């Protein structure tokens, strides 16, 4: 097994905001609390200890005991749940949607990064306990984002006859037998294929809803590492959010503070893309079959796309009596998570961290400790036979990260027996026109525009000729172009990162039960570089 590392900003697949965050750029310092360095966790522990009362631990423990009823768990997970009652125990959390059969491969990288950070923290701070937590996004309602996974270039998709509404965690697993059949038809019959069939069957055909199915699946994959899986769609957990719901719904605190932060981001010299925008109310109303936004108009509160409405007093009564019906959106879910967990660090992808960076001021105003933000590990996994093919084609792994047109042009130039790089000619042309500019300056300055126009025309001509020659050479070397693009497409399906498209089952077919231990061995969450792993 060989490992290469590549800085995230050299991959071309991560935003400028995230790359600058990883570089600890000074202009971003006010948008987070503590950077993910090992030494910063001592202060994070001290602050969280002050702000996380024992009563919350008791509620969390009882909720987890209830959620795990009937679930067979490992001794390590059982120990971790019990330790959460102790004031010396803290969590590292990641979150993910309930994607069918984990969805993209990075689901594994998120959780392994989380597990490995708890192990690193235990070594550095042995007097404390650290528990890895996976937060299931059971209350999301975008079914189209989660109802499929990719397998060997095919989309394995769940299309139920009766599309259910509301939170996806409540969705019945009825209809997944057809998905199971489609998947097994593609799998084949080797030993690892049989294990995948059983895992899908036990997860989705032996559980009644998507929450239970996902809990079973994550527990089966990561239980031996003590992963604790939590469902925020829980009445007792949500009771603790009541004061924070009021601050958002009645005082518009979420909207005001996040809008201010966005304005500060937009005022920076570097123009970053804004990931999410707050709403005046950042909660949905959650009931059987519905999850719709709460909207205020002229002092009354309405549930969008329904006939449900409340006065202010009625809404407050509903919140006190049924806190489970108030579902946080992307702005407020992080607050909910940090209120109910003794959490030190959130591990997420680039898009997630981009919206977390909008939230610190809101956390501070609400009196909730803002967690350390750590970018999850990213990995390109290359099989030995693929690596051998790269070597035969004289391709470096870094070549593969180029956009395909640039990748092809670069390799054609390298292997061509004709020098199709007109940079020297363009430089010579510039020198010639410099003399013409001097001549025009000395004789008649009105000719400067004509000289400039001629220079632009000549450069365009060289660009056009260069492109035509390169195109001709591509035709001449068509076989080689096909071979290099084939291997890039294998490793970057749909010209995107492997981890954003592939499902873990493709690697499991090759590696079986060695897959997750291999990742646990090599992923280092605080080592902020992209990994290229050859097995």
């Amino acid at each position: 097994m060989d490992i290469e590392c590549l800085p995230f900003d050299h991959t071309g697949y991560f935003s400028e905001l995230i790359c600058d965050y990883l570089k600890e750029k000074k202009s971003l310092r006010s948008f987070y609390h503590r950077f993910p360095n090992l030494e910063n966790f001592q202060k994070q522990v001290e602050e969280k200890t002050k702000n996380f009362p024992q009563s919350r631990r008791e509620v969390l423990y009882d909720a987890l005991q209830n959620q795990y009823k009937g679930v067979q768990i490992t001794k390590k997970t059982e120990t971790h749940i019990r330790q959460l009652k102790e004031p010396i125990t803290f969590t590292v959390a990641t979150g993910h949607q309930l994607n069918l059969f984990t969805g993209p491969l990075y689901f594994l990288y998120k959780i392994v990064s989380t597990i490995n950070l708890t192990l690193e923290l235990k070594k550095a701070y042995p007097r404390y306990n650290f528990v890895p937590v996976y937060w299931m996004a059971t209350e999301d309602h975008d079914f189209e984002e989660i109802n499929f996974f990719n397998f060997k270039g095919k989309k394995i998709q769940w299309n139920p006859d009766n599309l259910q509404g509301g939170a996806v965690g409540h969705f019945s697993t009825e209809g997944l037998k057809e998905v199971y059949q489609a998947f097994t038809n593609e799998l084949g019959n080797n030993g690892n294929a049989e294990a995948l069939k059983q895992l899908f069957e036990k997860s989705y055909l032996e559980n009644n809803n998507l929450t239970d199915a996902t809990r079973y699946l994550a527990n089966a994959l990561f239980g031996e590492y003590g992963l604790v899986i939590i469902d925020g769609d829980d009445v007792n957990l949500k009771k603790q959010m009541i004061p924070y719901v009021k601050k958002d719904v009645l005082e518009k605190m979420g909207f005001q503070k996040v809008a201010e932060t966005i304005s500060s981001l937009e005022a920076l010299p570097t123009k970053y893309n804004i990931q999410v925008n707050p709403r005046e109310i950042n909660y949905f109303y959650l009931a059987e079959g519905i999850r719709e936004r709460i909207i205020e108009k002229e002092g009354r509160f309405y549930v969008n796309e329904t006939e449900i409405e409340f006065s202010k007093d009625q809404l407050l009564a509903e919140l006190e009596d049924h806190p489970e019906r108030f579902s946080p959106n992307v702005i407020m879910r992080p607050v909910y998570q940090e209120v109910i967990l003794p959490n030190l660090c959130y591990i997420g992808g680039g898009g997630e961290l981009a919206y977390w960076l909008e939230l610190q001021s809101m956390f501070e105003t609400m009196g909730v400790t803002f967690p350390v933000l750590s970018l999850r590990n990213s990995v390109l996994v290359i099989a030995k036979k693929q690596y051998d093919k790269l070597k035969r084609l004289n391709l470096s792994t870094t070549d593969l990260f180029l956009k395909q047109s640039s990748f092809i042009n670069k390799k054609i130039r390298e292997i061509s027996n004709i020098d199709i790089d007109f940079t020297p000619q363009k430089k010579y042309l510039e020198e010639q026109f410099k003399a013409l500019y001097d001549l025009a300056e000395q004789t008649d300055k009105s000719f400067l525009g004509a000289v400039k126009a001629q220079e632009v025309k000549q450069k365009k001509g060289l660009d056009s000729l260069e492109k035509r020659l390169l195109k001709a050479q591509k035709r001449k070397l068509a076989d080689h172009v096909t071979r290099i693009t084939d291997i890039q497409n294998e490793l970057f399906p749909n010209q995107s990162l492997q981890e954003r498209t592939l499902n873990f089952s493709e690697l499991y077919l090759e590696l079986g039960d060695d897959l997750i231990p291999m990742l646990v061995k090599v992923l280092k969450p605080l080592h902020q570089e992209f990994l290229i792993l050859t097995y």
Side-chain angles (χ1 to χ4, degrees):
M1 185 167 59
D2 294 318
I3 300 171
E4 292 179 65
C5 297
L6 188 65
F8 280 108
D9 61 350
H10 290 189
T11 68
Y13 284 94
F14 292 83
S15 72
E16 194 169 9
L17 175 62
I18 294 305
C19 293
D20 285 350
Y21 171 67
L22 296 178
K23 295 172 187 173
E24 298 183 72
K25 195 170 181 179
K26 287 183 180 179
S27 60
L28 292 175
R29 184 61 193 87
S30 63
F31 297 96
Y32 60 93
H33 194 34
R34 293 188 176 95
F35 194 74
N37 293 325
L38 202 55
E39 57 270 20
N40 283 341
F41 280 92
Q42 179 62 52
K43 288 184 179 178
Q44 193 73 18
V45 165
E46 292 168 4
E47 184 177 343
K48 193 68 179 183
T49 299
K50 291 176 185 176
N51 294 338
F52 198 81
Q54 183 62 30
S55 59
R56 290 188 189 173
R57 292 183 179 276
E58 300 291 340
V59 173
L60 176 62
Y61 174 79
D62 291 342
L64 287 169
Q65 288 291 319
N66 186 55
Q67 291 180 17
Y68 271 95
K69 276 181 183 174
V71 181
Q72 189 173 0
I73 61 175
T74 63
K75 285 289 184 184
K76 197 157 190 177
T77 296
E78 186 179 0
T79 298
H80 279 164
I81 293 173
R82 187 175 65 251
Q83 286 176 336
L84 285 169
K85 293 178 72 174
E86 302 171 5
I88 58 169
T89 300
F90 300 90
T91 63
V92 174
T94 192
H96 198 68
Q97 296 171 294
L98 308 190
N99 293 73
L100 190 61
F101 213 44
T102 77
L105 186 55
Y106 66 77
F107 174 82
L108 268 64
Y109 303 157
K110 271 186 167 183
I111 294 183
V112 173
S113 298
T114 303
I115 290 166
N116 280 358
L117 183 52
T118 63
L119 299 176
E120 281 194 52
L121 290 173
K122 185 63 177 175
K123 286 180 184 177
Y125 305 102
R127 60 175 290 203
Y128 301 111
N129 301 315
F130 303 96
V131 175
V133 169
Y134 161 44
W135 181 289
M136 294 190 293
T138 56
E139 295 181 48
D140 280 6
H141 59 262
D142 197 339
F143 181 66
E144 287 72 24
E145 287 188 1
I146 67 163
N147 70 334
F148 69 95
F149 63 96
N150 296 305
F151 183 74
K152 294 188 175 180
K154 295 184 179 179
K155 194 173 187 178
I156 309 294
Q157 189 164 345
W158 177 22
N159 294 308
D161 292 334
N162 297 311
L163 187 60
Q164 305 163 65
V168 295
H170 299 172
F171 280 22
S172 166
T173 52
E174 186 178 350
L176 278 167
K177 191 169 184 179
E178 289 78 9
V179 177
Y180 170 73
Q181 291 295 339
F183 183 41
T184 56
N185 289 342
E186 298 292 334
L187 270 172
N189 294 304
N190 69 36
N192 292 336
E194 289 302 317
L196 286 169
K197 290 175 188 177
Q198 287 184 29
L199 182 60
F200 191 101
E201 183 177 11
K202 288 183 175 294
S203 299
Y204 294 99
L205 306 189
E206 296 182 13
N207 286 287
N208 294 326
N209 60 57
L210 204 51
T211 293
D212 291 344
T214 305
R215 183 186 293 110
Y216 181 94
L217 177 60
N219 185 59
L221 292 172
F222 299 104
E224 68 177 284
Y225 300 98
L227 181 70
V228 172
I229 304 155
I230 190 166
D231 176 10
D233 188 7
D234 184 293
V235 62
N236 291 316
L237 293 176
K238 284 193 173 178
K239 283 178 182 176
Q240 297 175 93
M241 269 299 287
I242 291 174
Y244 304 95
V245 177
K246 290 177 181 178
K247 288 179 181 181
D248 181 75
V249 174
L250 302 182
E251 300 177 38
K252 307 294 187 289
M253 191 178 289
F255 176 74
Q256 291 168 9
K257 302 311 294 185
V258 177
E260 287 172 9
T261 301
I262 289 173
S263 295
S264 298
L265 272 169
E266 290 177 331
L268 294 176
T270 304
K271 298 303 177 187
Y272 299 117
N273 291 326
I274 300 304
Q275 190 70 19
V276 295
N277 286 288
R279 295 187 181 276
E280 289 193 354
I281 295 176
N282 293 288
Y283 281 87
F284 295 90
Y285 188 78
L286 183 64
E288 188 65 35
I290 66 166
R291 185 180 185 247
E292 291 288 347
R293 289 190 296 116
I294 300 171
I295 301 168
E296 183 183 3
K297 293 179 182 177
E298 300 177 353
R300 290 191 67 80
F301 297 86
Y302 300 85
V303 178
N304 195 40
E305 302 292 338
T306 75
E307 296 182 357
I308 302 170
E309 62 177 278
F310 303 95
S311 68
K312 178 182 173 181
D313 289 341
Q314 288 171 332
L315 187 77
L316 290 174
E318 183 80 352
L319 177 59
E320 294 290 341
D321 295 340
H322 297 287
E324 73 279 7
R325 295 179 183 173
F326 290 77
S327 177
N329 72 359
V330 67
I331 295 291
M332 291 304 298
R333 189 207 64 79
V335 175
Y336 180 31
Q337 172 188 295
E338 298 303 312
V339 164
I340 68 172
L341 291 177
N343 196 48
L344 303 178
C345 178
Y346 184 76
I347 293 182
E352 289 176 285
L353 263 55
Y355 72 71
W356 274 86
L357 288 169
E358 299 176 22
L359 307 181
Q360 197 216 332
S361 175
M362 177 184 69
F363 268 75
E364 186 178 349
T365 306
M366 289 189 172
V368 181
T369 300
F370 195 69
V372 173
L373 301 179
S374 182
L375 184 65
R376 67 168 173 81
N377 287 117
S378 283
V379 189
L380 171 62
V381 182
I382 303 176
K384 181 65 166 60
K385 60 183 179 182
Q386 291 172 319
Y387 184 78
D388 291 341
K389 189 184 292 185
L390 292 176
K391 289 302 175 187
R392 288 196 299 272
L393 292 169
N394 196 30
L395 297 174
S396 71
T397 48
T398 53
D399 285 337
L400 298 169
F401 286 85
L402 293 169
K403 299 304 178 189
Q404 194 157 96
S405 59
S406 301
F407 171 61
I408 293 170
N409 289 346
K410 180 177 185 287
K411 301 316 294 183
I412 289 298
R413 285 190 171 100
E414 286 178 6
I415 66 172
S416 177
N417 54 7
I418 303 172
D419 187 7
I420 314 176
D421 181 0
F422 285 4
T423 302
Q425 287 84 354
K426 291 172 188 174
K427 188 174 181 181
Y428 178 75
L429 192 65
E430 287 171 1
E431 290 172 355
Q432 297 302 306
F433 271 93
K434 186 179 178 183
L436 289 175
Y437 282 123
D438 290 342
L439 183 61
E441 189 77 34
Q442 294 170 25
T443 54
D444 188 342
K445 290 184 180 181
S446 65
F447 280 96
L448 285 170
V451 174
K452 180 66 177 175
Q454 192 61 226
E455 182 186 15
V456 170
K457 182 179 179 181
Q458 294 293 327
K459 283 184 175 178
K460 281 185 178 178
L462 280 176
D463 286 339
S464 176
L465 185 58
E466 185 178 21
K467 287 176 183 177
R468 289 175 64 187
L469 285 171
L470 193 59
K471 190 174 181 180
Q473 197 67 356
K474 283 180 190 176
R475 287 196 298 270
K476 188 175 179 181
L477 300 169
D479 181 59
H480 191 82
V481 169
T482 298
R483 282 184 285 143
I484 65 173
T485 53
D486 282 350
I487 187 63
Q488 190 189 41
N489 290 336
E490 274 184 42
L491 294 169
F492 287 73
N494 301 322
Q495 296 183 41
S496 182
L497 288 177
Q498 179 192 70
E499 62 185 34
R500 298 177 187 173
T501 301
L502 241 62
N503 181 260
F504 85 98
S505 54
E506 290 194 44
L507 294 182
Y508 191 93
L509 278 178
E510 294 285 330
L511 294 163
D513 289 339
D514 292 333
L515 171 60
I516 291 175
M518 179 184 77
L519 295 175
V520 170
K521 182 178 179 180
V522 302
L523 266 56
K524 300 185 186 304
L526 299 182
H527 183 71
Q528 302 283 328
E529 288 190 301
F530 195 104
L531 298 183
I532 302 165
L533 174 62
T534 303
Y535 70 92

